[in-house]
Amino acid sequence: MTNDIMKRHIITIMAALVLTGCTEYLDIKPYGKTIPKTTEEFAALVDQMCDAIDKGSVLGGDIVGSYGNTVDLESVSDNLATNLTGGSDRLRTYIGQDLSAKQSVYLHLYEQIRNCNIILGEYQDGRDTRAGKDIIGTCYAIRGVCYYQLLRMFCAPPLADDAKLGVPIVTSFDMEAMPIRSTIQETIAQAESDFKTTIEYDIQNEMYRFNNDVMHGYLARLYHWCGRWKEARSEALTVLENHPLLSGDDYTSMMSTQYGLKGNRLLMGNLISDSPLGMSATMSSLEERPLSASLATLFKEGTNDIRRKGNLFFNRKRKNRKLIFSGLRSAEMALIAMECAYHLNEQETALTELNDFRSKRILTADYAYTMETLPAVNTEALVQQDATGKPLTPLLQAILNERRKELYLENGDRWFELKRNGRPEWWVGVGGKKYWTRKYMYTWPIPLSDIQQQPALIQNPGYEETY
């Protein structure tokens, strides 16, 4: 074994000693184990976190996403026809089957927050070098993304009447700390601060993924989730300047490529895969459950829509053909920008941007809407109100429908859109039984283990007696 190989092997072992073990984010620092000191050693720790994201492993999948996590959320939304096929070994019937397991997501995210805090606190010598700035910037990025995910999953929507409680804020490692829940605005501020700090570090190492374009994308997502429309629009347009929308063969090629940052993909969980069979098995399981009629009928232009041409997204039997994606691409930014324009009362701008988007997806000349030709609001649709609680209008419905079509099977987007826009209650019928998705189920339970450790940690409504 050469000296270089031995050194990499030793650093990997040291990384494992620091970053593995406890499942509680308040657990002790690994006393008796050596904490790395050099830039090279700390880089190995960051490499390990980024590798988990690239491979879509358990911890990495909870940060950026993985094809497994995406399918879990898709199967409990209304994009798939659960009533037609019922249960599956791979697919959930409704969110109630998965709520207990969601507690592990909370713990995984705090594990990564802890890991970032250890590095941010312990790494001193070399942090002002270019390599050091990349290491520190990446830790801020990952910590911020973790808080963003905790916000979406374990807090009520920020614009809702019950949006008061955030999550515990931990920004340094302290084995004695037992923080209680912050306010939702404090959680938002923490994610925002981490994202902006990452941009200041201007990460240059491509292996660390979280470059400034990615971080502007995350700021757009955060502001959009929180209803800060002007800021969300500004950040989304910043990303679109560098990564404009694709159309035609470029779009088809990107959407047909399973792995890699092709086209205008900016970030991707499962960028690489150690187990292609895992993706294959997951894709096969999706064929057991066709798309819901409510989603399929939105593709009114049929094969004149590039997403339907050649069965790119699904076939005539509504069986899925679209590749699962977790990550960030610029189409989401365009959809955020046009919705924000709508909420800023820039209706004509929103309509123009909607039509521009449709021009890159619809292959006929009659893709454009006018205010007069926008489809009437569908009173049978699940979503009947926007994020502010107001009734949908034809224009906003068209924007949200375009988002639903474009981001189907991406990031569990439909689940979070249902949560953001009213948290509608609905049911599926399987085996003669009704399975209800209730309003409280959109916000997942805080782990019982953490509440037992810190009794002042308030559980989310609906779970006080069961979790």
Side-chain angles (χ1 to χ4, degrees):
M1 188 181 290
T2 67
N3 288 337
D4 286 343
I5 295 174
M6 288 181 65
K7 183 179 290 184
R8 286 198 298 270
H9 182 63
I10 291 170
I11 291 172
T12 299
I13 292 173
M14 294 171 75
L17 289 174
V18 174
L19 297 181
T20 61
C22 63
T23 58
E24 304 289 345
Y25 73 92
L26 296 176
D27 271 356
I28 64 170
K29 185 186 262 186
Y31 288 111
K33 300 172 182 176
T34 302
I35 299 294
K37 295 297 182 184
T38 69
T39 295
E40 183 180 28
E41 290 166 350
F42 278 104
L45 306 186
V46 176
D47 289 347
Q48 191 178 63
M49 289 192 285
C50 291
D51 187 62
I53 293 170
D54 286 352
K55 292 179 179 176
S57 63
V58 174
L59 292 180
D62 287 334
I63 300 171
V64 168
S66 66
Y67 57 73
N69 291 354
T70 296
V71 169
D72 285 347
L73 288 173
E74 198 73 18
S75 64
V76 298
S77 79
D78 62 337
N79 276 347
L80 299 177
T82 307
N83 289 328
L84 296 181
T85 58
S88 163
D89 290 340
R90 179 65 185 85
L91 304 181
R92 306 291 192 269
T93 297
Y94 84 124
I95 189 61
Q97 292 177 309
D98 215 23
L99 286 171
S100 182
K102 294 305 182 189
Q103 295 173 90
S104 66
V105 177
Y106 181 97
L107 297 174
H108 291 159
L109 290 169
Y110 273 110
E111 284 182 42
Q112 296 291 49
I113 289 171
R114 177 206 63 202
N115 297 340
C116 291
N117 287 340
I118 289 175
I119 296 171
L120 290 172
E122 295 292 333
Y123 179 35
Q124 299 300 326
D125 295 338
R127 65 189 291 154
D128 291 331
T129 65
R130 180 65 264 170
K133 290 178 180 178
D134 287 347
I135 290 168
I136 296 300
T138 303
C139 287
Y140 278 111
I142 292 175
R143 190 175 73 180
V145 173
C146 287
Y147 279 117
Y148 165 73
Q149 295 287 34
L150 287 162
L151 173 71
R152 294 198 306 160
M153 296 173 181
F154 297 94
C155 303
L159 298 183
D161 292 339
D162 55 339
K164 299 178 178 66
L165 288 173
V167 296
I169 302 296
V170 188
T171 56
S172 62
F173 193 91
D174 180 356
M175 61 178 264
E176 302 296 334
M178 299 182 67
I180 61 174
R181 297 181 71 167
S182 67
T183 67
I184 198 165
Q185 292 304 323
E186 287 169 338
T187 302
I188 293 166
Q190 182 60 54
E192 178 184 24
S193 174
D194 283 345
F195 292 163
K196 288 184 173 180
T197 301
T198 303
I199 291 172
E200 291 174 3
Y201 276 93
D202 190 20
I203 296 168
Q204 298 295 306
N205 188 333
E206 292 183 1
M207 297 301 294
Y208 291 164
R209 310 302 179 201
F210 296 97
N211 60 43
N212 281 1
D213 284 340
V214 170
M215 298 321 298
H216 283 296
Y218 267 103
L219 277 171
R221 282 176 162 178
L222 176 67
Y223 293 143
H224 178 247
W225 182 256
C226 301
R228 292 164 61 174
W229 312 119
K230 185 175 181 180
E231 293 161 292
R233 179 170 170 79
S234 175
E235 296 292 340
L237 292 176
T238 295
V239 176
L240 284 168
E241 286 179 9
N242 295 330
H243 303 273
L245 288 171
L246 300 181
S247 61
D249 291 342
D250 291 335
Y251 176 78
T252 301
S253 177
M254 176 182 67
M255 301 303 289
S256 302
T257 300
Q258 186 164 304
Y259 300 114
L261 295 178
K262 189 175 182 64
N264 54 26
R265 293 173 176 170
L266 283 77
L267 179 69
M268 188 174 180
N270 285 118
L271 181 69
I272 57 177
S273 177
D274 286 341
S275 178
L277 292 177
M279 171 68 92
S280 177
T282 304
M283 291 295 296
S284 295
S285 70
L286 282 170
E287 293 188 12
E288 300 174 20
R289 189 174 293 176
L291 272 66
S292 64
S294 66
L295 173 57
T297 55
L298 294 180
F299 293 85
K300 300 180 184 300
E301 291 81 9
T303 55
N304 287 322
D305 188 321
I306 195 171
R307 295 165 291 197
R308 289 295 322 280
K309 186 178 180 181
N311 298 328
L312 183 63
F313 275 25
F314 61 96
N315 66 16
R316 289 183 179 180
K317 295 182 178 180
R318 301 192 340 233
K319 288 190 174 183
N320 178 68
R321 293 291 183 266
K322 184 182 180 185
L323 293 175
I324 305 160
F325 177 76
S326 295
L328 179 69
R329 61 186 183 92
S330 59
E332 181 184 353
M333 298 295 103
L335 292 159
I336 286 175
M338 68 181 76
E339 184 186 343
C340 290
Y342 171 87
H343 286 296
L344 291 167
N345 294 318
E346 299 172 8
Q347 309 285 299
E348 291 297 335
T349 297
L351 180 61
T352 297
E353 292 179 0
L354 172 63
N355 284 331
D356 179 66
F357 190 95
R358 286 172 57 81
S359 75
K360 294 173 173 58
R361 301 291 181 264
I362 311 302
L363 304 175
T364 55
D366 57 350
Y367 63 84
Y369 289 130
T370 65
M371 290 295 186
E372 292 71 32
T373 61
L374 284 163
V377 173
N378 178 7
T379 58
E380 302 298 320
L382 199 55
V383 173
Q384 291 293 315
Q385 66 180 62
D386 66 19
T388 70
K390 296 178 181 177
L392 290 188
T393 63
L395 176 56
L396 184 55
Q397 177 186 252
I399 292 170
L400 296 181
N401 283 348
E402 206 62 49
R403 181 180 182 117
R404 186 181 180 188
K405 289 189 290 181
E406 180 72 17
L407 300 184
Y408 157 66
L409 258 183
E410 300 192 23
N411 302 306
D413 190 77
R414 179 58 176 176
W415 172 259
F416 291 109
E417 281 295 281
L418 292 174
K419 179 174 182 176
R420 192 174 67 90
N421 294 293
R423 293 174 288 181
E425 295 192 341
W426 53 291
W427 60 270
V428 296
V430 177
K433 297 180 180 179
K434 284 185 177 180
Y435 295 88
W436 279 93
T437 295
R438 299 296 188 183
K439 181 178 179 179
Y440 78 89
M441 294 179 176
Y442 288 97
T443 302
W444 299 340
I446 303 297
L448 180 60
S449 59
D450 277 24
I451 292 175
Q452 290 172 334
Q453 191 174 14
Q454 169 53 285
L457 200 61
I458 300 172
Q459 181 59 279
N460 284 322
Y463 306 108
E464 297 90 345
E465 303 298 327
T466 55
Y467 292 87

